[in-house]
Amino acid sequence: MVSGSAAQFLTKTFYDKLKEGKLIGCRCKKCNFVMIPPRLLCKECGSKDLELVEFKGTGTLETFTVIHVPPMRLKNVAPYVTGIVKLDEGPMIMGRIVGVDPNKPEELRMGQRMQMEVIEEDGKPVLAFKPVS
Amino acid sequence: MGLQRGVCVIGAGMTRFHHKIHKDKSGRELFVEAALEAMESVDKGIERKDIQALFVGYFTPSLYEHQGHIGPLVTDWMGLTPITGWRTETACASSIAAFMTGVLAIASGWYDVVMVGGVEKMTALPTEGVTDALSVAADDDYEIPAGATFPGLYALLAQAYFKKYNMTWEDLQAIPIKNHHNGALNPKAQFQEEIMDIAKRIGQREGVTFKDPLDFLKSKYNRVIAWPLRLFDCCPISDGAAVAILAAEDVAKKFTDTPIRVAGIGFGTDTLALHDRISLTSFASAVFASRQAYKMAGIEPKDVDVVEVHDCFSIAEVIATEDLGLFERGEGLKAAVEGRTALDGDRPVNPSGGLKCKGHPVGATGAAMIHELWKQLRGEAGKRQIPDAEIGLAHNVGGTGASCGVVILRR
């Protein structure tokens, strides 16, 4: 658990920490609501009394797709898998799904256990998850 | 709570939506084309000097045409300066926001007669460029890095829906098959062809035969865009504009003996990021907007005769019909499979052919829905007319439901 001033509850902090392999969000000290990514106000009760939390990076696959028509910058990466993972701590987050064959989507199933991984794209850290065998 | 002063639609017009025929026209020119048709549709005539304000929806003019400041650009091109005018932007719901701005301008007593509409000139960019332009409606910090595209985001919703309600992609094909049937009856539609006719045309070219629409839709000729969604699950890239003219109820008779009344409006928002939603099978913004509009109109979902919903992707139509309360949760797709949303069904949805076939120049779509309801409620919708339609509803979504506007019109 990392505590800090409001200046820390930023997208920049999320990606700085992700670069170090850490997945962070925040918890509301007033109502206990846990959020990812960090925000300046509690999404649930509006309180400013928040603290940064680090997630374990494990969870289950809520839903996924295989992108065959990509945005321009991912032209050479497609096809690839993108999905939403429900973290064990509660909130959901979107990420790239790696360690699977995008041409065999039927081998991936919703509800599957996932573990976070950080990949790099254009020098930037990208949140990814891979299936836990 | 209702409007303090009644507002009516007294005219509506639109360009045909298309990916080829408007190649040489810019956004401002498309808007003028639709505006002139809207003015010509006013039964007792209207002059430019009658129009006191103009609100226009256009999602990403800066990306498509390297042009901002669209409000005065269209008041100028209409020869209407110095009247009030500005652009509204709520992604793909941009022109329903323009419509509502016009309603508010009249209901507040500011003006009596207002022009509202929308436009998008999409073919200025290649497909990947359009994919990028559309993607600014998603959360750029947290969804885009994951590789999300709009077809991809809707594919995530489709997968969640299939799992929750034990339905399949094959079931979902009832939506494009139905919308192609309707689009074939709409002279303004981008695609005016049944899926089986398209299958026969491609089959002849490729030397293959398809035994039914599903046989074609499952073939390699319907390529995967974002699994499990394929090309025919997605609305096309289109150029086009649509315009409506609004007047205060107390002056509407000067322009027409059959004004179409704005009975209810509603607008809701939600998180841009899908992963922050409570549900992946419903848009809270649409539920909020529709309940607000129903309440203002004093009606229930069962009272609506004709519905235009935002089927940017096949699954979106299913979610829409459930969010609007036309069907119970988990029953929307079953209802479509059973033919209940067809032109001759008990709950006709998207008689225009929907975004899938009418086309989806994003900033023009909400206004084009108003154009279809205007035609339907006046009994002027030709072969796709819903008999005796009295109450119509338009449901216009921005992004994956982070914005949703609902308008209820009444004859």
Side-chain angles (χ1 to χ4, degrees), chain B residues 214-227:
Chain B
L214 196 59
D215 191 29
F216 166 72
L217 292 169
K218 286 167 86 165
S219 76
K220 66 174 183 182
Y221 302 103
N222 185 20
R223 67 193 178 106
V224 177
I225 304 294
W227 188 86

Side-chain angles (χ1 to χ4, degrees), chain A residues 1 23-27 32-36 53-60 85-93 113-114 116 129:
Chain A
M1 192 160 303
L23 188 60
I24 63 143
C26 63
R27 189 183 72 84
N32 256 327
F33 193 74
V34 178
M35 292 150 272
I36 183 169
V53 290
E54 185 181 337
F55 296 96
K56 283 182 295 180
T58 51
T60 52
V85 171
K86 185 171 172 57
L87 299 171
D88 290 335
E89 292 88 348
M92 299 194 293
I93 186 77
R113 290 292 298 164
M114 307 296 283
M116 79 170 272
F129 292 90

Side-chain angles (χ1 to χ4, degrees), chain B residues 27 56-70 87-95 118-125 129-138 150 237-238 360-364 399:
Chain B
V56 54
Y58 192 160
F59 175 33
T60 52
S62 48
L63 298 179
Y64 290 124
E65 300 191 277
H66 196 262
Q67 180 69 65
H69 222 165
I70 299 298
R87 164 182 161 226
T88 55
E89 190 270 297
T90 53
C92 322
S94 291
S95 59
V119 55
E120 203 92 22
K121 169 72 188 181
M122 301 176 77
T123 62
L125 292 176
V130 173
T131 303
D132 279 357
L134 292 172
S135 76
V136 304
F150 264 91
I237 291 165
S238 323
H360 182 34
V362 295

Side-chain angles (χ1 to χ4, degrees), chain A residues 7-67:
Chain A
Q8 284 186 279
F9 298 91
L10 307 174
T11 300
K12 182 180 184 308
T13 318
F14 180 85
Y15 281 105
D16 285 349
K17 293 287 178 191
L18 192 65
K19 212 165 195 169
E20 298 167 15
K22 291 176 180 168
L23 188 60
I24 63 143
C26 63
R27 189 183 72 84
C28 175
K29 290 202 226 170
K30 209 170 161 194
C31 77
N32 256 327
F33 193 74
V34 178
M35 292 150 272
I36 183 169
R39 290 168 174 252
L40 297 170
L41 299 177
C42 174
K43 187 175 149 58
E44 200 66 11
C45 76
S47 167
K48 289 185 288 185
D49 196 8
L50 307 165
E51 63 181 354
L52 289 182
V53 290
E54 185 181 337
F55 296 96
K56 283 182 295 180
T58 51
T60 52
L61 186 62
E62 268 298 297
T63 180
F64 69 96
T65 178
V66 186
I67 307 286

Side-chain angles (χ1 to χ4, degrees), chain A residues 11-23 73 94-96 116-128, chain B residues 140-147:
Chain A
T11 300
K12 182 180 184 308
T13 318
F14 180 85
Y15 281 105
D16 285 349
K17 293 287 178 191
L18 192 65
K19 212 165 195 169
E20 298 167 15
K22 291 176 180 168
L23 188 60
R73 74 183 173 88
M94 195 173 290
R96 196 77 54 80
M116 79 170 272
E117 198 172 288
V118 182
I119 59 173
E120 205 188 282
E121 240 158 37
D122 310 322
K124 289 178 195 156
V126 172
L127 175 61
Chain B
D140 201 60
D141 284 343
Y142 297 104
E143 292 187 309
I144 297 305

Side-chain angles (χ1 to χ4, degrees), chain B residues 21-293:
Chain B
I21 63 171
H22 301 306
K23 273 260 188 296
D24 295 338
K25 299 171 198 164
S26 62
R28 68 183 92 176
E29 290 152 356
L30 287 165
F31 187 90
V32 171
E33 190 177 320
L36 292 177
E37 189 182 290
M39 290 177 69
E40 280 162 22
S41 78
V42 177
D43 294 330
K44 297 181 189 174
I46 190 166
E47 291 177 49
R48 277 186 308 118
K49 66 170 174 50
D50 294 322
I51 296 161
Q52 299 168 307
L54 197 171
F55 302 105
V56 54
Y58 192 160
F59 175 33
T60 52
S62 48
L63 298 179
Y64 290 124
E65 300 191 277
H66 196 262
Q67 180 69 65
H69 222 165
I70 299 298
L73 185 66
V74 293
T75 59
D76 175 17
W77 238 245
M78 286 299 296
L80 289 171
T81 52
I83 68 162
T84 303
W86 62 69
R87 164 182 161 226
T88 55
E89 190 270 297
T90 53
C92 322
S94 291
S95 59
I96 213 79
F99 179 89
M100 289 184 194
T101 306
V103 169
L104 298 179
I106 292 171
S108 65
W110 191 15
Y111 291 120
D112 293 333
V113 181
V114 170
M115 180 176 273
V116 294
V119 55
E120 203 92 22
K121 169 72 188 181
M122 301 176 77
T123 62
L125 292 176
T127 302
E128 292 89 355
V130 173
T131 303
D132 279 357
L134 292 172
S135 76
V136 304
D139 187 326
D140 201 60
D141 284 343
Y142 297 104
E143 292 187 309
I144 297 305
T149 60
F150 264 91
L153 292 168
Y154 275 92
L156 295 175
L157 297 167
Q159 291 263 77
Y161 188 94
F162 295 156
K163 180 159 191 266
K164 187 168 180 182
Y165 298 117
N166 200 23
M167 300 295 283
T168 65
W169 175 85
E170 281 79 358
D171 295 322
L172 188 60
Q173 300 316 296
I175 305 288
I177 292 170
K178 185 260 299 172
N179 284 343
H180 267 271
H181 175 76
N182 296 356
L185 306 174
N186 183 358
K188 296 283 191 179
Q190 182 163 348
F191 302 128
Q192 299 173 22
E193 216 177 2
E194 296 268 4
I195 285 187
M196 205 52 215
D197 292 331
I198 298 170
K200 278 181 195 150
R201 186 162 48 78
I202 291 174
Q204 269 168 9
R205 192 180 70 204
E206 303 289 333
V208 285
T209 48
F210 301 104
K211 63 179 195 302
D212 55 34
L214 196 59
D215 191 29
F216 166 72
L217 292 169
K218 286 167 86 165
S219 76
K220 66 174 183 182
Y221 302 103
N222 185 20
R223 67 193 178 106
V224 177
I225 304 294
W227 188 86
L229 301 184
R230 294 170 178 246
L231 185 64
F232 277 70
D233 289 291
C234 310
C235 65
I237 291 165
S238 323
D239 296 333
V243 167
I245 302 170
L246 307 179
E249 204 159 13
D250 45 281
V251 303
K253 288 280 176 197
K254 190 180 141 200
F255 299 102
T256 175
D257 291 327
T258 48
I260 301 298
R261 204 159 52 82
V262 179
I265 57 171
F267 200 101
T269 60
D270 203 348
T271 66
L272 257 69
L274 271 189
H275 54 245
D276 263 336
R277 305 283 175 85
I278 307 284
S279 168
L280 292 176
T281 53
S282 166
F283 294 159
S285 60
V287 174
F288 179 87
S290 59
R291 296 314 176 271
Q292 200 174 52

